[in-house]
Amino acid sequence: MSCFQGSFHSYLYRSGDYLRGNRRFTIAPTIILPMEPISQVLGLESTSQVLGKEPIVPFAILLVVILVVPILFERLRLPALVGLVFSGVVLGPSGWNLFHSNLPMMNLLSDIGLVYLMFVAGLEVDIKLFRRRQNRSLGFGSFTFSVPFAVGTLVGRIFGFGWTAAILIGSLFASHTLLAYPIISRLGVINNEAVTVTIGATIFTDISALLVLAVCVATHTGSFSLVNLLTLLAWLTIYAFVVLIGFDWAGKEFFRRSGDDEGNQFLFVLLSLFLAAVGAQLIGVEKIVGAFLAGLAVNETVGEGPVKEKVVFVGSVLFIPIFFVDLGLLIDLPAFVNSLATIKLTLLIVVGLIGSKFIAALLAKLVYRYNWREMLMMWSLSMPQVGATLAATLVGYRVGLLPAEVLNSVIVLMLVTSTLGPLITNQAAVGLTNSQAEESAPITLSDQKPEAANSTFTIVVPVYNPQTQQYLIEMAALLARQSNGRIVPLAIAPAAARMDAPQFTTSLQRSEELLAKATAQSRGLGVATEPLLRIDDAFAPGISRAAREQKASLIVMGWGKRTGLRARLFGNVIDSVLWASHCPVAVTRLVESPKKIQRILVPLENLIAPALQPVQFAQMLAEANQAQVTVLNVYVSEAGRRHRLTSSNKIAARRSHLSLLVSKLALPNPPEIQIIAHENVAQAILQAARLYDLVVLPFTRNRTSPGGLATSDIITQLAGQLTCSLIILGEPQHTQTVMLPTGTPNIKIVV
């Protein structure tokens, strides 16, 4: 057998007779085990090799990074995108070398994140604010584009770049990202003229910067001539007209025909994005130009509804974070640290950008006579360089127009400006809030609209959960008795294709039982009750439509939890009602009967008149229960004796402002005013809430920044940690309703 050992090492012979010289011998049928590992014979590989080649593994790692890292950096009070870029550096060639930007999966996801980033930038532009201050927006836009453009071009020439590359560097300086929009929205200064002008200027700067990018890339990749340039501009004009006009018309027509089908509307918006990106490449323009124009095209069609929220959500939680991680992979940290020329370039780019934006804001101050605080607001809002800047830099780097040194410098610029800009915005916005509080006009009955004078205070109470129904009815009854109003218990029976289907009959019977029970409870509490049973396609549209038909003044709903993937992606019933309702919505989580509520806490962040709606709601409930209302404002303090002295002065000023605003409400029993200095707003509210039976929180829609990363929401933290009863009061988008506890009709303030 030894002579056949080599053969048996590699092959499995059949049984039979074999000759060796003059000798015959027989091989019986046997199983011969090979000497190699069985995993190789069977085509199997080791676990490490499989995991190394399996694309699901790096994708799973990416999901862990974009889930954990932003949370950690936000707790450190640093922007989440800084953490994502840092993660890319750690996971990339400069760190653990687990990822490379040339991986097919990373290329695909990063490209999607790139176009999504620019699409969201166009989608988030507030065209209505631009139209409100169109001339001044164009004026400041020209300032904040031309000055940084000239400075950036000069920086490029100083470091020896050609004219095309230097001009592209100048365009990188010219654009800006409204990264601090959630701050100004939360603090209620969005209607300040300086803020409105800065928001409107974003359209001019981004479009101009992208046009410069398109021309520079076309010049670099092709033979430059005047004819080619004019041809490109002609195609670009036609393309922009088709996207802006055609997509806008098609979007409005599709949304009108699709009704409330959010799934198809969501897909239409995504299709518009990628069709525009492909169209831009067909005419020789970078796809990010098409993505931004697509965002502008469907801007008004999508509006501020739930479809926009879901579109931004998909990008901000998945594709855009992966784009920032990929940017970190491109950073060559050793080369950056060891190169003195790169450090000088980075320093000059950062200083040049911040200084040029300051000069542009100063010019706007001198021309339009803004005060210093408004000037600081314009400077800080136009400082962050995230969306268009990073996208254009990456495009220039990929086509070979910009070297790696510029890419590294721009990423550092993004990290610095995205951290410094919001910090300055927060300080300047607080000052504008105080000045607006002093100028707020008193709210009187003369502000009422004539058609509202004879209306009845109507409270719609959707009933669909027997466990919360009793307390909801009691809450509505207290408010209705105090305002001499009525309750409309509402039951929604989901429609079916056939009205005689057994499932529909069962659903209808259950709705009738819930409605009968709610009606008996309401009448037992001594309030006027008009039950309503509605057959509709879905719960949320049925509630919103019924409330509008009944001319409701308030919708009182029970608390709902987000469960399952669909609820997290497309929202639940409460989310949809908050977006669609025409009147305030009180989302309640009551741990005991509303009749036992004696102490009510109303935390306020905005010291302006429209933000006092929760105070009026709480006072209306307190009058019915003979309870006491406390209005709480948290001042974010700093450590140190000098800061403590400054904080005491600011606390006194805030108390004076808040007392003045509350006095203008002319409430029968004015609430108690309490100002707390604390380093953490959520923790301060949680500590104060231990002494109260109910906390009333205002609901504000959280607008995601064009960078695609949502900021942390204090209301979300409080809702998960408060142990007492909780009411989240959501106001309609375009009007805010002042509910007076004396039973008078609503006063509507257009904001």
Side-chain angles (χ1 to χ4, degrees):
M1 295 293 293
S2 61
C3 62
F4 289 94
Q5 185 175 0
S7 298
F8 289 151
H9 180 78
S10 304
Y11 304 98
L12 181 65
Y13 278 81
R14 297 180 179 180
S15 61
D17 295 336
Y18 292 86
L19 290 175
R20 184 184 181 190
N22 296 325
R23 299 178 61 184
R24 177 185 298 274
F25 59 94
T26 301
I27 299 179
T30 57
I31 297 177
I32 302 175
L33 297 176
M35 297 181 65
E36 291 86 358
I38 188 67
S39 60
Q40 293 184 10
V41 176
L42 297 179
L44 301 176
E45 297 178 328
S46 64
T47 303
S48 60
Q49 291 176 325
V50 172
L51 294 180
K53 295 180 179 180
E54 181 60 52
I56 294 180
V57 176
F59 184 71
I61 297 176
L62 281 176
L63 291 181
V64 173
V65 168
I66 63 180
L67 173 64
V68 176
V69 172
I71 297 175
L72 295 178
F73 271 71
E74 285 180 355
R75 291 189 176 181
L76 296 174
R77 297 186 179 181
L78 292 174
L81 57 89
V82 175
L84 294 172
V85 175
F86 177 77
S87 301
V89 175
V90 173
L91 297 174
S94 299
W96 296 341
N97 201 25
L98 296 178
F99 284 87
H100 294 275
S101 60
N102 57 359
L103 290 175
M105 182 200 69
M106 287 298 299
N107 279 332
L108 174 63
L109 296 178
S110 179
D111 281 346
I112 295 177
L114 177 64
V115 297
Y116 221 115
L117 179 69
M118 292 309 301
F119 177 71
V120 172
L123 198 63
E124 291 285 9
V125 171
D126 200 324
I127 297 179
K128 294 180 180 179
L129 289 179
F130 173 75
R131 291 171 179 168
R132 190 183 305 175
R133 293 287 186 269
Q134 182 174 344
N135 294 333
R136 293 198 172 189
S137 294
L138 291 175
F140 176 65
S142 62
F143 292 148
T144 196
F145 178 87
S146 58
V147 176
F149 178 80
V151 173
T153 304
L154 180 61
V155 169
R157 295 296 296 167
I158 289 176
F159 280 85
F161 294 104
W163 276 107
T164 304
I167 291 175
L168 180 56
I169 293 174
S171 70
L172 302 181
F173 280 39
S175 62
H176 64 266
T177 303
L178 294 174
L179 198 64
Y181 189 98
I183 297 176
I184 59 177
S185 178
R186 190 178 69 248
L187 294 177
V189 296
I190 194 172
N191 288 320
N192 182 276
E193 182 180 306
V195 176
T196 303
V197 167
T198 307
I199 295 174
T202 308
I203 300 179
F204 178 83
T205 58
D206 284 359
I207 291 179
S208 301
L210 291 176
L211 289 178
V212 173
L213 170 69
V215 173
C216 289
V217 171
T219 301
H220 175 74
T221 55
S223 56
F224 175 74
S225 66
L226 182 60
V227 176
N228 291 340
L229 178 61
L230 293 177
T231 303
L232 175 64
L233 293 177
W235 277 111
L236 189 58
T237 302
I238 297 173
Y239 167 77
F241 179 83
V242 171
V243 172
L244 293 176
I245 304 300
F247 282 29
D248 178 58
W249 174 84
K252 291 178 179 177
E253 189 67 17
F254 183 84
F255 271 54
R256 183 181 65 83
R257 293 178 180 273
S258 61
D260 295 321
D261 192 342
E262 294 181 10
N264 286 337
Q265 293 171 355
F266 175 83
L267 292 176
F268 176 85
V269 173
L270 289 187
L271 179 63
S272 302
L273 162 62
F274 290 103
L275 282 180
V278 172
Q281 290 182 307
L282 290 178
I283 66 171
V285 179
E286 280 301 319
K287 53 182 174 288
I288 64 173
V289 179
F292 182 76
L293 293 178
L296 291 178
V298 301
N299 188 304
E300 289 187 306
T301 301
V302 175
E304 294 294 334
V307 175
K308 176 182 177 180
E309 183 185 13
K310 278 62 179 181
V311 170
V312 176
F313 170 81
V314 170
S316 63
V317 301
L318 183 60
F319 297 116
I320 296 177
I322 292 178
F323 166 73
F324 282 110
V325 174
D326 185 58
L327 278 180
L329 298 178
L330 298 175
I331 296 179
D332 189 351
L333 194 58
F336 177 81
V337 175
N338 297 327
S339 175
L340 182 61
T342 304
I343 295 177
K344 290 181 179 179
L345 175 63
T346 302
L347 183 62
L348 194 56
I349 284 179
V350 172
V351 174
L353 183 279
I354 295 176
S356 61
K357 290 295 184 181
F358 182 85
I359 294 174
L362 182 61
L363 290 175
K365 174 189 180 301
L366 298 176
V367 173
Y368 301 124
R369 301 181 184 277
Y370 294 131
N371 58 44
W372 280 104
R373 197 172 294 277
E374 290 174 326
M375 191 275 290
L376 290 176
M377 177 68 72
M378 300 177 76
W379 174 46
S380 62
L381 284 176
S382 61
M383 184 191 305
Q385 305 293 304
V386 180
T389 304
L390 287 179
T393 304
L394 188 60
V395 169
Y397 172 75
R398 287 178 175 176
V399 300
L401 185 56
L402 297 177
E405 292 79 7
V406 174
L407 175 64
N408 294 338
S409 300
V410 171
I411 293 176
V412 174
L413 173 69
M414 181 268 296
L415 299 179
V416 174
T417 57
S418 63
T419 303
L420 182 61
L423 289 177
I424 300 176
T425 299
N426 187 68
Q427 296 297 323
V430 171
L432 287 181
T433 299
N434 292 338
S435 62
Q436 285 184 231
E438 294 175 349
E439 298 171 1
S440 298
I443 305 174
T444 63
L445 289 176
S446 60
D447 296 326
Q448 288 182 228
K449 291 187 177 182
E451 61 269 21
N454 297 320
S455 61
T456 302
F457 195 88
T458 301
I459 303 176
V460 171
V461 185
V463 290
Y464 49 88
N465 186 352
Q467 297 178 353
T468 61
Q469 179 173 310
Q470 175 67 33
Y471 287 170
L472 287 180
I473 295 297
E474 290 184 10
M475 171 69 70
L478 290 174
L479 297 173
R481 278 204 303 263
Q482 186 62 26
S483 59
N484 297 322
R486 65 184 178 119
I487 298 178
V488 178
L490 172 65
I492 303 294
R498 295 180 55 185
M499 292 293 102
D500 59 348
Q503 297 87 348
F504 174 73
T505 303
T506 303
S507 174
L508 190 63
Q509 291 176 351
R510 180 180 181 276
S511 298
E512 291 175 344
E513 292 173 359
L514 289 173
L515 193 60
K517 183 178 178 180
T519 303
Q521 292 172 347
S522 302
R523 291 174 177 169
L525 295 172
V527 292
T529 305
E530 298 180 15
L532 177 62
L533 175 61
R534 183 185 181 94
I535 300 175
D536 211 301
D537 297 329
F539 285 101
I543 294 171
S544 302
R545 293 164 182 166
R548 184 64 177 179
E549 293 168 357
Q550 296 294 320
K551 299 180 180 179
S553 308
L554 176 68
I555 300 175
V556 176
M557 301 182 65
W559 187 264
K561 295 182 179 180
R562 293 176 177 269
T563 57
L565 178 62
R566 179 177 177 82
R568 292 180 180 272
L569 184 60
F570 294 102
N572 54 17
V573 174
I574 294 176
D575 295 330
S576 301
V577 174
L578 285 169
W579 278 106
S581 64
H582 76 288
C583 64
V585 180
V587 183
T588 65
R589 187 189 65 190
L590 302 173
V591 298
E592 60 180 354
S593 173
K595 300 177 182 178
K596 299 180 181 180
I597 294 174
Q598 295 298 316
R599 293 178 58 83
I600 305 174
L601 179 66
V602 185
L604 289 183
E605 187 172 7
N606 300 346
L607 300 185
I608 55 177
L612 297 179
Q613 312 310 318
V615 178
Q616 295 180 300
F617 175 86
Q619 192 66 34
M620 187 176 183
L621 181 60
E623 290 293 327
N625 258 5
Q626 302 300 315
Q628 176 63 39
V629 177
T630 300
V631 179
L632 172 66
N633 179 256
V634 180
Y635 169 72
V636 181
S637 60
E638 300 181 19
R641 182 175 181 273
R642 181 174 61 85
H643 291 300
R644 285 197 297 269
L645 294 176
T646 305
S647 298
S648 62
N649 295 332
K650 291 186 176 180
I651 288 174
R654 282 179 173 235
R655 180 176 287 105
S656 176
H657 291 319
L658 190 53
S659 299
L660 177 63
L661 285 176
V662 172
S663 66
K664 293 177 181 180
L665 298 178
L667 299 174
N669 297 312
E672 176 188 354
I673 306 298
Q674 185 176 2
I675 309 294
I676 296 179
H678 201 280
E679 297 179 359
N680 187 294
V681 176
Q683 290 300 321
I685 297 175
L686 287 172
Q687 293 175 10
R690 296 173 183 173
L691 303 176
Y692 292 86
D693 306 314
L694 172 68
V695 176
V696 180
L697 294 173
F699 169 79
T700 54
R701 296 182 178 92
N702 196 15
R703 178 178 177 130
T704 308
S705 67
L709 301 173
T711 58
S712 59
D713 191 351
I714 294 177
I715 293 181
T716 304
Q717 301 178 40
L718 296 176
Q721 300 182 43
L722 284 172
T723 57
C724 63
S725 296
L726 172 66
I727 293 179
I728 297 179
L729 185 66
E731 293 290 334
Q733 181 179 349
H734 300 295
T735 60
Q736 290 185 328
T737 305
V738 179
M739 295 175 295
L740 298 182
T742 57
T744 55
N746 296 343
I747 304 172
K748 292 187 178 179
I749 305 174
V750 178
V751 296

